[in-house]
Every structure is written in C-alpha cells, then in structure tokens.
Amino acid sequence: MTISSVRVYEPASSFAQTSGRSSPKPPPRVWYASDPPFKGYQPAPSEGYQHSSTSTAIVIDNGSSLVKAGWSFDKTPRLSVPANVARYRDRKLNRTCMYVGYDAYADATTRGQIRNAFETGSSIITNWDVMEGILDYTFIKLGVNAAERGIGRPVLMTEPVANLGYSRKIMNELLFECYSAPRVAYGIDALLSYKYNKGKSGLILSSSHSSTHLIPVINSKPIMSSVSRLNWGGYHSAEYLLKLLRLKYPTFPGKMTEAQAQEMVREHCYISQDYDNEMRHYLDWTGLEDRDHLIQYPFTEHVVVEKTEEELAKVAERKKESGRRLQEQAAKMRLDKLVRKEQELDYYKDLQLRVNEATKKEAKRLLDEDEFKDDAQLDRTIKELEKSIRKARSKDVGGPENPEEEEEQTFPLVDIPDDQLDEAGLKQKRHQRLMKSGVEARARAKVEKEQEKARVVEEERLDLERRENDLEGWLEDKRVARAALLQKIKERDRLKADLGNRKSLASQMRMKTLASLASDAPGRKRRRGGDDDNFGANDDDWGVYRTVQTGDQSDDEEEEDIGAGLKNIEAQLLQFDPSFTENNTLEAQSDWTKSLVHAFLRGPRPFDPESQKEAHQIHLNVERVRVPEVVFQPAIAGLDQAGLVEIAADIINQRFSSQQDREALLNDIFLTGGNTLFQGFEERLKRELRAVLPIEASLSVRRAANPVFDAWKGAAQWAREPGFTEKSVSREEYLEKGSEYIKEHNLGNLVAI
C-alpha cells in the first residue's frame, strides 16, 4: 500500500543556532520543488485597443526570458509570458493546436513540444515561426482588431546590444509585411531602463537572462565603442546549478528541470561578501541548519501500519501457541516413527533367527519374501535400525546414550575387476565406491581441519613472538595490512556502484559473461542436440557465478572475513599503538557527524537510505554562493573572461582619458536586469570597485526601481514623447529604403552623432 507525499513540515520561522553535531536540532525548513509554471487561463484586458489611437504605440520588451507587452499609455505591461510556443497535432479534432507562454506548460504533451524563439543561452532570435506565434498571441491579448488586416498601431520593440542586422531585417519584414505596422522603432532595454530611472551620465551594468553588458553613458549618449560583454546571465546560472546538482546527486530519482533550477537560483542564491572565507567555513556544523536549504521533490512512500502493544502481544501469543502445537505434533510423529522402527527391528531379528535355523533353500525363500539379497543385507538393516533407534531415544525420550564406536568400514568389491562380477555385483561395487569416496573425503576434511588449527596456533605464536621482539616492525605490518583491507573495501564498494550503472565497464563485462554463458559460440544459434554441454566438468567453471553475482548477497563470506579481519587489526592497533585512537577506526570515520561529505550531501541531520522522502531531497549549501559568484569570478564555471569588477575598472580607467568623464561614470553605476537581484550584489560590487579605484575617488552604486520591468516602462515613456515618431521607421521608408534601414537615436544600437 502506498500513498503520495504529504507535506509534513510547515515553513518554520527563524530559530536559534545549535553548534553541537549530535545536539537536538529543530525541524528543517522545507522548500518544495515547483510544479511546471502553468497559470491557467489568464484573460488580458482588451479595452486598450478601443482607448488607443493611430499614434498610440504597442510596446514590446522582447526578452529571451519573458516577453512583456502593453500600450504606451499603460504604467505596467499588460502581458508578461515566456518566449515559448508548443504545437502538436490533435488527432481527435484533426487540427494543429498552439500553446504560447505559460499555456505551453499545460500538460506533459505540450511540455514535450516546447520550442523557444531564441537561441539557447543567447538573445538572438533563431526560430521565427515561434516568434510569429508569440506576436500573434501578443496582439490577440492586447485586443487588436484582426478585421482591419493589420495592427494599425506603431510598434516599439527592444533588442539586445549589438543586435545582428539579419535579425533586425527579418523582424522588420515580419512587422511590416505580416502585421502591416505603420511605424517600427527599436531600443536597447538597458538604455531604456536607465532613461526611465532618470540617468544622464554613468555606467550601466545590465545582467539579464542571456548575458551581462556594461554600457558607459555620457550626457545621455551611450558610448557603444566602449561597451563590454560577459557571456553569463540568468540562464547560465540555472544551467550551472543544474550541472552541479546532477553531479552532486548522480542517482537522484526525481527529475530536475530548468524551470526548477531557475527558481532555486532566484529563491536561494545570494552574493557572498567574502567568498573565499565563506566557502572555507560553509560546511562547518555551527549554523549549518540555517545555511543548508532543503528542497523536497514529490515521492511515494510505502506505508506500514503499526500495531498497538496489545495487538503485538496477541500476535506473539498466537505464534507461541502455534509453535507449541507444532512441537507436540512433531514429537508425536517422532514417537510413532520410533515405535514403528522398534516393531520392524523385532520383526527383522525374528527373521534373522528363523533364517539361521532354516535350511539353505528355506533361508533363501525367507530372504526373498522380504526382498533381501543375502544375510549381509539383513544384518546391515538391523544395525542401521538399532543405531537410528538409539539416536531417537536419546533425543526424544531421553534414554541413555550408549554410542558404540564406529566400526571401520570395508569395501571389498572396489578392488575386484568388473569382468569377475555379475550385474548385481557391479551395482554393489558402484555403491561401495561412492561410500568409500565419502569416507575418504571426511577423513581428508578432518585432517585439513586439524592442520588449519595447527597453522592458526603457529601463526599466533609467531605473531606474538614478532610483537615481543620487534614492536615497531609489527605495528608497521599491521598498518600495511589495515591499509590493504581498506583498499579492498573501497574496491568492493566501487564495484557495487559500477554494477548499478549499466554503462559502466564492470556492468558491461558482467553482461558479456552472461552472453558467453548463454552460447558457447557467440553469433551462432545453438541447435537442439548439436553441441555437448560440458559446463561443470572443470571445477573452475563454477567460479563464473561469483563473477556475475550482484547485490547485497554477493560475496557475503568474503565481506564478513574482511570486516572481521579489519576489526581484529584495529583492536590490536588500539591496544599497542599509542598514535592509533578510536577516531582512526573505520567505524568512527564512517560516523556521519564527522563526515564533510555527509554535510555536503545531506546537511546537518542523519540520512535514512530506506526513506523515499529523504531520497527525494536536495540540499543546497555551497551552491547558494558558488553559482552567483561566477559573474565576479567567471573561471569558477570554466569561462575564460574577466569578472565584472575587472571589466568595469578597465572601462573606467583605460577607455576614458578625461577625469571628468571618469567621475561621471563612477558617480552613477546603475544596475538593471533580473540577474542583479541577488542579495548583496550591490554591496559586493561597491566594495570590490572601491578596492581598485583611487582612495579619493567618489563612488555611487544604485539599482533600478524595478530591474525586470523598468526597460518596458522606459520604452513606454519614450513612445509617449513627441520625438518618437521622428526616430521610428515608417512603412513608406521601409518600402523605399529596404528592410535593413534603421534610424539613429541615443537609445538604440546606432547612436546619433
């Protein structure tokens, strides 16, 4: 019987830190893995189209993470959806269905067909079919009247820094040809956000979903020749976190998605003010309860109904009574069997007397009636019955034990040639040969056992003598033996782990062995009766089963020998080696309260491998500071670029010779973009910039009022200004000058001189 996971722990408030490793700890605060971001039907207000005029612009912030759209007279965007489209063919309706934005996460079918308009990890549009679907959805949600055969409103759209001319050309063709837009203008999102926050001169640091840009602005004019780019954004942070978690939990049973990783980055990561020092002490037990964040994934737990003490007592009593009855029945059956054997013994003894007194012919007749071949067989039967009765009496009835010395068995027929025996004699000879082999095997085993005892005693004597004569050398030998046993344990654990992975070399070798066992000639089908199966003729053949065994039951005896030997050596080292303490034993080193790996994987609490709930948990600790640190130290993620501080210092100190321009940039370092929302980002940037600047230089760092939506708000503000019409490309200019034509202005990629 199973049940779905039930959320047991409520989000707990802050609690006092506990410093002890084994001290009682409060219940952990649990965050639950997010579901696919499906929001259901979201009706967008469509009255904006009726309130608009031919001069009212449709403003679209075309981001690679979210597409935000609305009217220029709006204060906030009416629509904000991911740049995703899912299409699939509905066979029942015989039509193609298209889901846009959050609707694409409606179910598993649509999620499997999601396509993004942008190239993965960049802000370049590569899938124009998806982009067209997003624009269709946007204009429909804004209430644009399709009966007019065009949107009939100007369009203001954001574009990335140094946007490709080809991308702008295709977008112009799409807007002018497909949607009949009367005017189109483009602006850079970071510059529009800076304009909305009343910036004039400063250094814009825009860290978005796909990249990070540093744009110097002097007197509201961006210096595009000094712009620098860092190929790291929110998408790369989520992807990096996903790689770290998959490396951390290679056998995690749940499915970690990019959407969940993005939420983890937003909710749990922060910028460390002293990264190196914090990483050194992050897994210290003091305060680890607060630093370690627990993410719970859905799971199915097996529920075992626990019985009360009264029910357990009743079950135990029933088992006891049942066992007593079974014992009585078994004793009665043994007693009946003993009585029957005694009766048989009396009968056979009487038969033996009658045979001895009868003539030879009469004796032969009597033996044949009871299916005896000769007197010897009758005598053996009587002896076996007497022996069995004595044993049964001593065990069940409690009679006196009078064990007779075992007579030496003889096998006279073994040495007689076969041609001198008849069929009955040959059969008897084979029986005697088998019995002789058993007797000899028991004798050999007895001798080997005695020899083994003697060998052990001799080894103990030599070991004691070596310890008394050369204690240091004896201790060194024990240390070497202990290291060898530890290596065997590691190899055994590694082999077990490899066998669990069907792609590992050990697993492939096992399957190869199984395949060779299935056929003596690989690649050729075995025909019935075609080959003789001689497997087992050689004793080494049976060793193959040790090769293919897996699981906890494999090599049990060997594992017990290794464990017992290791404990014996460690006990001797504890007794005679002053430098070897309890903390050096394998048992102490396996203690989770002393394991740094356990703190990294499972946090400050014990882990139950049998619990499905704990198996579906992810612990975020060092990843919380490691992932966002990449923008300051890109080498952490293998990125061969300078960090933000180095790039900013290079722009300010090397690319501007005027002291006045440098001061203007330093007096307004502006942060925008969703990737700057990390806690401590502003303080860390200001502190590290201060370290590379002259001591007398003034420095001011500020963040946009809303780093995510200020770009759209700045675009809407610009669209309401009187000069917007002059800076946009009209349909007539597009038809006359081509799709690559663009006008110069201080908010786009082509700056007016």
Side-chain angles (χ1 to χ4, degrees):
M1 174 180 172
T2 59
I3 61 171
S4 299
S5 61
V6 178
R7 298 186 176 185
V8 179
Y9 300 116
E10 296 295 334
S13 57
S14 60
F15 45 80
Q17 294 182 358
T18 55
S19 58
R21 299 185 181 186
S22 302
S23 59
K25 296 176 175 59
R29 181 180 177 184
V30 180
W31 287 264
Y32 294 91
S34 61
D35 297 326
F38 176 62
K39 296 186 177 181
Y41 177 69
Q42 299 289 326
S46 58
E47 72 280 357
Y49 186 77
Q50 286 76 21
H51 297 166
S52 66
S53 63
T54 55
S55 61
T56 304
I58 298 174
V59 181
I60 302 175
D61 183 4
N62 194 22
S64 56
S65 175
L66 292 176
V67 175
K68 299 169 279 289
W71 299 96
S72 58
F73 53 75
D74 292 331
K75 294 188 177 178
T76 56
R78 294 175 179 244
L79 185 68
S80 178
V81 296
N84 297 329
V85 168
R87 288 190 180 94
Y88 80 96
R89 186 75 178 176
D90 192 323
R91 296 182 179 180
K92 292 183 179 180
L93 300 177
N94 195 24
R95 58 185 298 181
T96 300
C97 302
M98 183 175 71
Y99 296 84
V100 181
Y102 293 112
D103 296 344
Y105 296 95
D107 56 24
T109 303
T110 57
R111 289 195 295 271
Q113 301 296 326
I114 287 180
R115 300 293 181 268
N116 195 277
F118 294 83
E119 182 183 0
T120 303
S122 75
S123 55
I124 304 300
I125 301 173
T126 55
N127 195 327
W128 289 99
D129 290 338
V130 172
M131 191 72 244
E132 185 176 352
I134 294 171
L135 291 176
D136 288 343
Y137 180 83
T138 299
F139 295 140
I140 291 173
K141 287 293 184 180
L142 292 178
V144 175
N145 189 0
E148 297 184 3
R149 295 187 179 180
I151 58 178
R153 302 293 185 270
V155 176
L156 171 56
M157 184 176 290
T158 62
E159 65 177 3
V161 176
N163 188 26
L164 299 178
Y166 175 78
S167 297
R168 190 184 300 112
K169 172 186 174 182
I170 300 300
M171 183 62 74
N172 279 334
E173 294 176 357
L174 190 62
L175 292 174
F176 282 117
E177 301 291 346
C178 183
Y179 298 103
S180 300
R183 287 184 171 275
V184 175
Y186 299 96
I188 297 176
D189 51 359
L191 297 176
L192 292 169
S193 178
Y194 190 58
K195 173 182 174 62
Y196 181 77
N197 286 270
K198 299 179 174 55
K200 298 295 182 182
S201 296
L203 180 64
I204 302 174
L205 195 158
S206 172
S207 186
S208 59
H209 182 70
S210 58
S211 60
T212 299
H213 289 93
L214 285 87
I215 308 173
V217 178
I218 301 295
N219 296 325
S220 300
K221 180 179 179 180
I223 311 301
M224 301 304 293
S225 60
S226 298
V227 173
S228 292
R229 171 190 174 97
L230 175 63
N231 294 322
W232 191 267
Y235 167 82
H236 305 90
S237 297
E239 184 184 34
Y240 184 49
L241 176 62
L242 205 58
K243 289 180 179 179
L244 292 178
L245 291 179
R246 287 171 177 169
L247 182 64
K248 185 176 183 179
Y249 301 100
T251 59
F252 186 69
K255 182 179 181 181
M256 295 179 283
T257 64
E258 292 183 3
Q260 291 170 344
Q262 291 175 8
E263 183 181 3
M264 291 180 197
V265 170
R266 290 193 300 266
E267 296 294 330
H268 303 281
C269 294
Y270 65 94
I271 297 292
S272 173
Q273 301 303 312
D274 187 359
Y275 177 75
D276 294 333
N277 183 58
E278 187 167 356
M279 284 294 288
R280 278 195 295 269
H281 302 285
Y282 206 93
L283 294 177
D284 291 349
W285 289 91
T286 302
L288 184 58
E289 298 89 353
D290 293 333
R291 294 191 297 271
D292 185 82
H293 284 196
L294 191 153
I295 313 297
Q296 180 69 63
Y297 273 73
F299 67 97
T300 301
E301 189 72 87
H302 295 281
V303 177
V304 179
V305 179
E306 297 184 359
K307 298 181 179 180
T308 62
E309 293 183 0
E310 295 180 358
E311 292 175 337
L312 292 175
K314 290 180 181 179
V315 172
E317 185 64 27
R318 286 197 299 268
K319 288 183 177 179
K320 186 176 180 181
E321 182 65 22
S322 177
R324 185 183 61 79
R325 288 197 301 267
L326 289 174
Q327 289 177 355
E328 292 177 354
Q329 293 175 2
K332 185 179 179 181
M333 292 175 62
R334 287 196 298 270
L335 186 59
D336 294 342
K337 189 175 181 180
L338 177 61
V339 171
R340 288 196 302 270
K341 286 184 178 179
E342 289 177 344
Q343 293 174 352
E344 289 180 4
L345 180 62
D346 293 339
Y347 174 78
Y348 288 143
K349 284 185 176 180
D350 181 66
L351 176 63
Q352 190 178 35
L353 290 174
R354 287 188 286 122
V355 168
N356 292 334
E357 294 174 355
T359 62
K360 186 174 182 182
K361 184 177 181 181
E362 182 66 17
K364 177 66 174 174
R365 185 185 64 79
L366 292 174
L367 291 173
D368 290 341
E369 286 180 355
D370 288 291
E371 298 181 353
F372 288 108
K373 295 181 179 179
D374 51 20
D375 296 345
Q377 186 178 2
L378 176 60
D379 188 56
R380 284 196 304 271
T381 303
I382 292 174
K383 288 182 179 180
E384 289 175 358
L385 282 173
E386 289 176 344
K387 183 178 179 182
S388 176
I389 290 172
R390 283 196 304 270
K391 185 176 179 181
R393 281 176 177 173
S394 64
K395 181 177 181 181
D396 294 333
V397 185
E401 251 187 278
N402 296 317
E404 299 178 358
E405 293 185 2
E406 184 177 356
E407 299 180 2
E408 183 178 355
Q409 298 184 13
T410 59
F411 309 99
L413 298 180
V414 173
D415 298 328
I416 299 177
D418 293 347
D419 55 0
Q420 299 179 12
L421 298 174
D422 56 4
E423 185 177 352
L426 290 174
K427 186 175 181 180
Q428 186 66 20
K429 179 180 178 180
R430 287 194 295 268
H431 177 71
Q432 290 186 6
R433 184 183 298 161
L434 181 63
M435 296 295 293
K436 183 180 180 181
S437 299
V439 171
E440 292 176 350
R442 286 193 295 271
R444 286 196 303 270
K446 187 175 181 180
V447 172
E448 290 176 358
K449 188 175 181 180
E450 295 296 331
Q451 291 177 351
E452 180 65 18
K453 287 183 180 180
R455 186 186 64 81
V456 171
V457 172
E458 180 66 17
E459 286 183 355
E460 291 178 352
R461 186 188 66 78
L462 294 175
D463 188 70
L464 178 61
E465 183 179 349
R466 172 77 187 283
R467 188 181 70 208
E468 293 175 351
N469 297 334
D470 184 11
L471 181 60
E472 290 299 325
W474 180 83
L475 288 176
E476 184 62 28
D477 291 343
K478 293 299 179 183
R479 296 189 191 104
V480 172
R482 179 177 178 271
L485 290 177
L486 290 175
Q487 185 63 30
K488 284 185 178 180
I489 293 175
K490 289 182 180 179
E491 290 294 329
R492 181 194 66 199
D493 295 340
R494 182 190 61 79
L495 181 60
K496 284 186 177 181
D498 287 346
L499 288 175
N501 179 12
R502 63 184 181 86
K503 294 185 179 180
S504 65
L505 179 61
S507 183
Q508 291 177 2
M509 292 298 295
R510 177 175 177 269
M511 295 306 297
K512 184 177 180 180
T513 303
L514 290 174
S516 64
L517 285 175
S519 175
D520 289 339
R524 189 163 53 89
K525 291 185 178 180
R526 179 182 295 177
R527 297 182 178 178
R528 184 177 300 175
D531 294 327
D532 292 333
D533 187 3
N534 58 0
F535 179 84
N538 187 355
D539 290 341
D540 295 337
D541 293 345
W542 302 102
V544 73
Y545 290 105
R546 297 177 62 85
T547 305
V548 300
Q549 276 182 338
T550 59
D552 297 335
Q553 289 75 25
S554 62
D555 298 338
D556 287 339
E557 295 180 0
E558 183 180 353
E559 291 181 10
E560 291 177 2
D561 292 343
I562 293 176
L566 182 63
K567 288 184 178 180
N568 184 31
I569 292 176
E570 289 181 342
Q572 293 176 342
L573 290 174
L574 285 172
Q575 184 177 359
F576 298 102
D577 188 359
S579 62
F580 191 85
T581 63
E582 287 287 349
N583 293 332
N584 299 118
T585 62
L586 178 63
E587 184 177 357
Q589 292 176 355
S590 302
D591 186 3
W592 69 269
T593 60
K594 302 173 184 177
S595 173
L596 186 66
V597 175
H598 180 92
F600 174 62
L601 294 176
R602 304 300 175 185
R605 293 172 179 82
F607 173 68
D608 181 11
E610 300 297 329
S611 172
Q612 288 297 315
K613 177 180 179 180
E614 296 186 20
H616 286 76
Q617 289 177 351
I618 285 177
H619 291 261
L620 294 178
N621 34 63
V622 296
E623 298 86 6
R624 297 180 60 204
V625 295
R626 183 176 182 178
V627 170
E629 182 67 19
V630 176
V631 293
F632 292 94
Q633 301 184 56
I636 292 176
L639 201 62
D640 189 17
Q641 285 187 264
L644 281 183
V645 177
E646 290 83 356
I647 295 175
D650 178 73
I651 292 175
I652 296 170
N653 295 328
Q654 304 297 329
R655 305 185 189 182
F656 289 89
S657 57
S658 171
Q659 184 65 26
Q660 183 179 359
D661 292 343
R662 292 180 182 175
E663 293 178 356
L665 295 177
L666 290 173
N667 285 330
D668 189 14
I669 296 181
F670 178 74
L671 307 181
T672 186
N675 206 37
T676 63
L677 290 173
F678 290 116
Q679 176 188 347
F681 191 99
E682 184 177 346
E683 295 79 3
R684 170 76 177 276
L685 180 65
K686 186 174 183 179
R687 184 174 61 83
E688 294 207 359
L689 275 177
R690 171 60 65 189
V692 298
L693 294 175
I695 192 171
E696 70 277 1
S698 61
L699 178 63
S700 175
V701 180
R702 66 186 178 112
R703 182 185 278 116
N706 191 328
V708 177
F709 290 103
D710 278 0
W712 185 92
K713 294 178 181 179
Q717 179 185 355
W718 180 39
R720 293 194 297 267
E721 294 180 358
F724 170 72
T725 304
E726 299 176 359
K727 297 173 183 177
S728 59
V729 178
S730 66
R731 181 173 179 80
E732 291 75 16
E733 291 173 329
Y734 163 78
L735 295 174
E736 179 183 354
K737 300 178 181 179
S739 57
E740 297 181 357
Y741 177 67
I742 184 174
K743 288 189 175 181
E744 299 175 350
H745 55 83
N746 291 337
L747 296 173
N749 280 293
L750 194 58
V751 180
I753 300 176

